[in-house]
C-alpha cells in the first residue's frame, strides 16, 4: 500500500480539484470555456454554478496577492507574498482551509441581485458561522472559523447588488497566544448542505485530513490500475480524473456516477458511460456496474435511453448509438470472477438491452427497411461528422454494425438464460442485418450512407464511415482488410483523425471533423485487433497512449499537433487511456520470458 504518497501534480486550469462523491470542485473554470482570475467553488447541482470566490490577500496591504496554485489529488495550495494557503477535502461536502502569511477573502462569485439570483449572505446567530444561501444551486455554504479571526465582512443580510463576503486572517494577538494560530496560522471549514446542520466540529487536524485523502486516492488507484508501471506514466493521473469526477447519488442521478467532467461537460451521456464502466470493472466492479446501468434507470416507454442525465435534467431529444451490447460483453469478461452477475441481474440486463434494441428495430426502421437510421448526427455521438453533411436522416454502416454486435450479445444472454427461441431470433436478426448492411451499403471498396427519404447515397472522408471495423471477427476478411487500409490513412503522428487531414472539410478544432477522440480510438483498436490486424491496432494504441501522456485527458485533440481541445478533464479519455494502457501492459508482461529455476 502507498498511503503516504501525494499522487501526481496537475494544472488546476486543466483538471478541477475535487473528491470522490463531491458535487462541487475548486477551479478557475466558472462556465463553458470561461476562466476566472481566482479559484472558485463550483457546484454541479441544478447545473454548473460558480458559488464562492477564493481570493488570497497580502497580509500587509490587504490587496490581492499574486500567487501560484499547485494541486495534487489530496491538497490544493496557493503560495505568494511570503505565505501559503492549503485546501483539502475532509468529506465530499466539506473542505478545510489553512493559511499562514496570507489572508483569504471568500466572497459570493458574482455581484448579482437578490433574492432572485445570486447568494444571500448572513451570519448565523446559532453558531456564529457565516452562511451563503445560493439561489442557483438551492443549497447553503457555511464558513466556520476554527482558528484565526474574521478581519472583515460585508454585505450581510443585504438585498440587491453589492459585495458579499468575509475575510479570514490570523488573530492580531497571535504572537501572545499558544493556540493553533500562534504563528499567524488560521483555519476554516467550508460546507455545502441542503437546509440545516449542527455546528461544525473538527474531527481531525488539517494534516490528518490531507493524509486521509491521500490514502483514499491511493486505495482507488491501486484498485483501478494495479498493473501500472514506468511504461504507463499517466495511469495515476487518469485514475484521479475518474476519482475526482465521481458524484454520490443525488437528484436524478440514481447511482454513484462518473460525470464526463467537473468542468462544464458535467453530465453522463448514454455512450460515454460505457468506457468509464470498462475501465473501472476489474478493480471497482460495483462502481463499474453502476456506470453501465445508470442510463438504463431512465429508459423510457419506447425502450430509448436518454441522451444525457445529470443532477436536475434528463434529455430525451436525441439518443446515442447502441454500443451497449459491445460494451456489456467486454464488461462481463472484465468483472472479477466472484462478482459476475447472478441470474436475476442477467435477466434484468437482458430485458433492458432487449428494449433498447427493439427501439432501433421498430421506431428507427422505416416501413420495409432492413436497416435502422439516425435522425441527426447527435444520435451517432459524432454530432457534426461530414457523413451528415448531405442529409441528416440517414442509414449508416456504423449504426448497423453496433446493432449487429448488440443482437449477438442478446443471443448470448438468451442462451445463458435458457431462452433458446429468443436466442435463435436474435441470431437470425443479426445475420439479416449484416447481410443487408453489406448488400445495401458496401460498394466493394467503401461503405456509403443512404438518405432515408431520397434514397441518395454518398461516401465521405469521415472516420465514421469506417466504424464497421468494430464488427471485428464477424466481418468478411476482404472487407476488414479494406477498412484497415483506409483507417491507416487517418492515422497521424498522434492518433486517428476523425476526418482525413487532406479533406477540404478538415478542421483542426472542428469537433468530429478532424480531432482525435478517445471512443473512436478504442472501438477501432478493438475491432482491428479482433479482426487480426494486430500491427495497426498496436500502433493506434501506442500513439493514443503517448498523446495522453504528453497532453493529458482532453475531450479531443488536434490531430496534427496533439494539442488538447475543449474540456480538458474528460473522463472517457482517461478511461480509454487506462483500457489501452492496461491491455498493453498485460501483453508486454505476457511476452516476457520467465527466468530462474
Amino acid at each position: 500500500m502507498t498511503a503516504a504518497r501525494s499522487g501526481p501534480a496537475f494544472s488546476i486550469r486543466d483538471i478541477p480539484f475535487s473528491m470522490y462523491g463531491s458535487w462541487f470542485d475548486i477551479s478557475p473554470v466558472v462556465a463553458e470555456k470561461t476562466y476566472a482570475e481566482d479559484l472558485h467553488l463550483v457546484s454541479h447541482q441544478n447545473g454548473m454554478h460558480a458559488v464562492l470566490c477564493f481570493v488570497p490577500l497580502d497580509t500587509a496591504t490587504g490587496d490581492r496577492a499574486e500567487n501560484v496554485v499547485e494541486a495534487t489529488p489530496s491538497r490544493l495550495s496557493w503560495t505568494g507574498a511570503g505565505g501559503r494557503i492549503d485546501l483539502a477535502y475532509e468529506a465530499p461536502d466539506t473542505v478545510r482551509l489553512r493559511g499562514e502569511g496570507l489572508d483569504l477573502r471568500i466572497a459570493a462569485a458574482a455581484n448579482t441581485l437578490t433574492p432572485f439570483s445570486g447568494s444571500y449572505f448572513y451570519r448565523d446567530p446559532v453558531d456564529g458561522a457565516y452562511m451563503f444561501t445560493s439561489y442557483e444551486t438551492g443549497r447553503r455554504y457555511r464558513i466556520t472559523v476554527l482558528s484565526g479571526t474574521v478581519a472583515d465582512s460585508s454585505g450581510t443580510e443585504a438585498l440587491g447588488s453589492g459585495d458579499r463576503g468575509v475575510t479570514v486572517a490570523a488573530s492580531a494577538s497571535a504572537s501572545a497566544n499558544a493556540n493553533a494560530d500562534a504563528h499567524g496560522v488560521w483555519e476554516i471549514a467550508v460546507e455545502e448542505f441542503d437546509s440545516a446542520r449542527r455546528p461544525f466540529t473538527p474531527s481531525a487536524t488539517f494534516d490528518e485530513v490531507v493524509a486521509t485523502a491521500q490514502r483514499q486516492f491511493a486505495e482507488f488507484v491501486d484498485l483501478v490500475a494495479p498493473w501500472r508501471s514506468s511504461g504507463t506514466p499517466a495511469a495515476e493521473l487518469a485514475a484521479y480524473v475518474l476519482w475526482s469526477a465521481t458524484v454520490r447519488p443525488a437528484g436524478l442521478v440514481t447511482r454513484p456516477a462518473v460525470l464526463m467532467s467537473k468542468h462544464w461537460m458535467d453530465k453522463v451521456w448514454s455512450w460515454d458511460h460505457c468506457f468509464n464502466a470498462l475501465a473501472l470493472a476489474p478493480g471497482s466492479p460495483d462502481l463499474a456496474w453502476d456506470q453501465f446501468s445508470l442510463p438504463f434507470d431512465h429508459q423510457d416507454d419506447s425502450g430509448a435511453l436518454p441522451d444525457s442525465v445529470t443532477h436536475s435534467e434528463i434529455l430525451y431529444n436525441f439518443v446515442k448509438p447502441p454500443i451497449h451490447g459491445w460494451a456489456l460483453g467486454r464488461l462481463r469478461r472484465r468483472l472479477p470472477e466472484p462478482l459476475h452477475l447472478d441470474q436475476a441481474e442477467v435477466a434484468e440486463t437482458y430485458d433492458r438491452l432487449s428494449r433498447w434494441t427493439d427501439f432501433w428495430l421498430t421506431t428507427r426502421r422505416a416501413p420495409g427497411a432492413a436497416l435502422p437510421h439516425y435522425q441527426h448526427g447527435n444520435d451517432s455521438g459524432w454530432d457534426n461528422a461530414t457523413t451528415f453533411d448531405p442529409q441528416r436522416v440517414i442509414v449508416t454502416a456504423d449504426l448497423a454494425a453496433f446493432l449487429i454486435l448488440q443482437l449477438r450479445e442478446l443471443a448470448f444472454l438468451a442462451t445463458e438464460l435458457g431462452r433458446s427461441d429468443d436466442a435463435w431470433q436474435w441470431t437470425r436478426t443479426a445475420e439479416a442485418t449484416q447481410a443487408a448492411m453489406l448488400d445495401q451499403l458496401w460498394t466493394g471498396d467503401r461503405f456509403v450512407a443512404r438518405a432515408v427519404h431520397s434514397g441518395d447515397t454518398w461516401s465521405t472522408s469521415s472516420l465514421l464511415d469506417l466504424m464497421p471495423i468494430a464488427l471485428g471477427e464477424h466481418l468478411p476478411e476482404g472487407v476488414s482488410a479494406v477498412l484497415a487500409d483506409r483507417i491507416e490513412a487517418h492515422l497521424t503522428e498522434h492518433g486517428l483523425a476523425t476526418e482525413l487531414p487532406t479533406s477540404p472539410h478538415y478542421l483542426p478544432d472542428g469537433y468530429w471533423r478532424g480531432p482525435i477522440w478517445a471512443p473512436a480510438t478504442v472501438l477501432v483498436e478493438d475491432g482491428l485487433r479482433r479482426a487480426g490486424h494486430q500491427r495497426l491496432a498496436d500502433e493506434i494504441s501506442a500513439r493514443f497512449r503517448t498523446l495522453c501522456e504528453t497532453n493529458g485527458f482532453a475531450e479531443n485533440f488536434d490531430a496534427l499537433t496533439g494539442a488538447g481541445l475543449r474540456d480538458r478533464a474528460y473522463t472517457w479519455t482517461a478511461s480509454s487511456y487506462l483500457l489501452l494502457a492496461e491491455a498493453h501492459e498485460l501483453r508486454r508482461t505476457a511476452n516476457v520470458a520467465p527466468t530462474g529455476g
Side-chain angles (χ1 to χ4, degrees):
M1 186 58 61
T2 52
R5 69 171 182 261
S6 59
F10 56 90
S11 167
I12 195 69
R13 287 181 61 84
D14 291 341
I15 301 174
F17 183 76
S18 193
M19 179 188 195
Y20 183 102
S22 180
W23 276 94
F24 68 82
D25 63 80
I26 311 299
S27 171
V29 178
V30 295
E32 182 173 350
K33 303 179 187 177
T34 304
Y35 291 77
E37 181 180 25
D38 287 299
L39 300 187
H40 286 64
L41 185 153
V42 182
S43 172
H44 298 277
Q45 299 192 68
N46 292 333
M48 178 187 181
H49 301 288
V51 180
L52 303 178
C53 178
F54 298 100
V55 184
L57 303 177
D58 188 309
T59 57
T61 66
D63 296 329
R64 180 184 181 277
E66 293 299 322
N67 62 88
V68 174
V69 177
E70 298 173 309
T72 66
S74 58
R75 186 196 303 252
L76 176 69
S77 301
W78 295 260
T79 56
R84 177 186 180 98
I85 299 171
D86 292 307
L87 180 151
Y89 275 82
E90 178 169 326
D93 60 8
T94 303
V95 291
R96 295 269 291 272
L97 292 97
R98 182 177 66 185
E100 182 174 10
L102 286 174
D103 298 343
L104 181 67
R105 175 72 174 172
I106 306 176
N111 293 327
T112 51
L113 297 177
T114 59
F116 305 108
S117 62
S119 294
Y120 173 60
F121 180 53
Y122 67 97
R123 190 175 186 191
D124 193 329
V126 175
D127 58 9
Y130 289 84
M131 192 82 74
F132 292 87
T133 299
S134 168
Y135 286 90
E136 285 77 12
T137 71
R139 278 147 189 90
R140 297 164 183 258
Y141 301 83
R142 180 170 67 185
I143 301 169
T144 302
V145 177
L146 305 178
S147 64
T149 188
V150 172
D152 177 66
S153 66
S154 59
T156 56
E157 302 183 40
L159 301 179
S161 61
D163 182 56
R164 295 172 174 80
V166 59
T167 300
V168 184
S171 299
S173 58
S175 59
N177 292 331
N179 297 326
D181 60 340
H183 300 289
V185 177
W186 55 262
E187 190 172 336
I188 63 173
V190 180
E191 303 164 89
E192 177 187 59
F193 54 85
D194 292 343
S195 56
R197 177 179 285 187
R198 294 191 178 194
F200 180 83
T201 302
S203 59
T205 67
F206 185 86
D207 289 335
E208 289 170 341
V209 168
V210 173
T212 298
Q214 285 180 350
R215 184 179 67 253
Q216 290 171 342
F217 173 67
E219 290 171 350
F220 180 84
V221 74
D222 285 342
L223 288 171
V224 170
W227 40 261
R228 65 196 186 280
S229 72
S230 59
T232 57
E236 288 202 6
L237 188 57
Y240 175 73
V241 171
L242 289 175
W243 183 78
S244 63
T246 304
V247 295
R248 65 188 183 276
L252 298 171
V253 174
T254 51
R255 303 165 182 262
V258 181
L259 304 179
M260 284 309 101
S261 175
K262 279 185 182 169
H263 284 329
W264 59 87
M265 301 295 281
D266 56 354
K267 296 184 179 183
V268 175
W269 277 268
S270 290
W271 70 313
D272 312 38
H273 68 112
C274 292
F275 300 90
N276 290 339
L278 290 172
L280 292 166
S284 188
D286 290 339
L287 183 61
W289 189 247
D290 283 333
Q291 302 324 297
F292 182 79
S293 302
L294 175 58
F296 286 94
D297 291 345
H298 301 285
Q299 196 167 17
D300 73 9
D301 291 341
S302 74
L305 299 183
D307 185 43
S308 63
V309 179
T310 191
H311 175 271
S312 52
E313 177 186 77
I314 302 175
L315 296 179
Y316 290 94
N317 53 334
F318 296 106
V319 292
K320 285 294 176 275
I323 68 165
H324 302 84
W326 168 85
L328 178 62
R330 293 194 69 189
L331 178 62
R332 294 188 68 195
R333 291 191 295 273
R334 289 175 59 78
L335 289 172
E337 189 69 34
L339 294 170
H340 281 179
L341 305 183
D342 61 30
Q343 285 294 96
E345 290 170 315
V346 172
E348 179 186 37
T349 302
Y350 172 78
D351 178 65
R352 288 177 158 193
L353 196 63
S354 297
R355 294 176 57 222
W356 175 222
T357 305
D358 283 339
F359 165 82
W360 289 99
L361 295 175
T362 55
T363 70
R364 291 299 180 92
R365 285 201 299 191
L371 297 174
H373 60 266
Y374 291 130
Q375 296 175 346
H376 187 279
N378 289 0
D379 288 339
S380 74
W382 295 51
D383 308 1
N384 66 335
T386 53
T387 302
F388 295 91
D389 280 0
Q391 296 186 49
R392 304 288 185 271
V393 183
I394 61 175
V395 172
T396 64
D398 69 291
L399 173 54
F402 295 142
L403 192 61
I404 292 162
L405 291 173
Q406 191 152 294
L407 288 161
R408 292 188 180 279
E409 183 63 23
L410 282 168
F412 177 82
L413 293 173
T415 300
E416 184 176 341
L417 292 168
R419 304 179 187 183
S420 57
D421 289 345
D422 285 0
W424 178 84
Q425 186 61 52
W426 293 125
T427 300
R428 182 183 177 188
T429 306
E431 292 171 349
T433 303
Q434 182 157 332
M437 179 189 74
L438 293 170
D439 178 60
Q440 299 177 23
L441 302 180
W442 178 248
T443 67
D445 67 348
R446 67 184 65 226
F447 280 106
V448 297
R450 189 184 75 239
V452 173
H453 294 297
S454 69
D456 294 343
T457 61
W458 60 87
S459 62
T460 71
S461 297
S462 175
L463 185 64
L464 182 63
D465 294 5
L466 307 177
M467 292 307 293
I469 194 65
L471 281 167
E473 70 276 19
H474 302 296
L475 276 175
E477 185 176 343
V479 175
S480 75
V482 172
L483 292 180
D485 286 344
R486 290 190 175 278
I487 287 166
E488 191 156 17
H490 285 257
L491 188 57
T492 73
E493 175 186 353
H494 305 287
L496 289 172
T498 46
E499 180 78 11
L500 277 177
T502 55
S503 164
H505 304 293
Y506 175 86
L507 294 172
D509 186 10
Y511 226 51
W512 293 92
R513 302 172 79 90
I516 296 165
W517 284 80
T521 300
V522 170
L523 285 162
V524 167
E525 192 269 356
D526 175 68
L528 285 168
R529 200 172 292 285
R530 289 187 289 108
H533 302 286
Q534 304 297 329
R535 178 200 60 80
L536 182 55
D538 286 344
E539 193 61 37
I540 290 169
S541 171
R543 295 190 192 189
F544 185 80
R545 286 183 281 113
T546 299
L547 176 65
C548 293
E549 290 159 3
T550 304
N551 293 327
F553 305 106
E555 184 179 355
N556 51 68
F557 302 86
D558 186 308
L560 300 183
T561 69
L565 303 172
R566 309 291 173 129
D567 195 315
R568 299 296 299 275
Y570 224 62
T571 54
W572 75 354
T573 308
S575 288
S576 296
Y577 174 83
L578 291 172
L579 284 167
L580 295 174
E582 177 193 16
H584 169 71
E585 280 297 293
L586 294 179
R587 287 193 299 270
R588 183 184 65 81
T589 54
N591 290 330
V592 175
T595 60

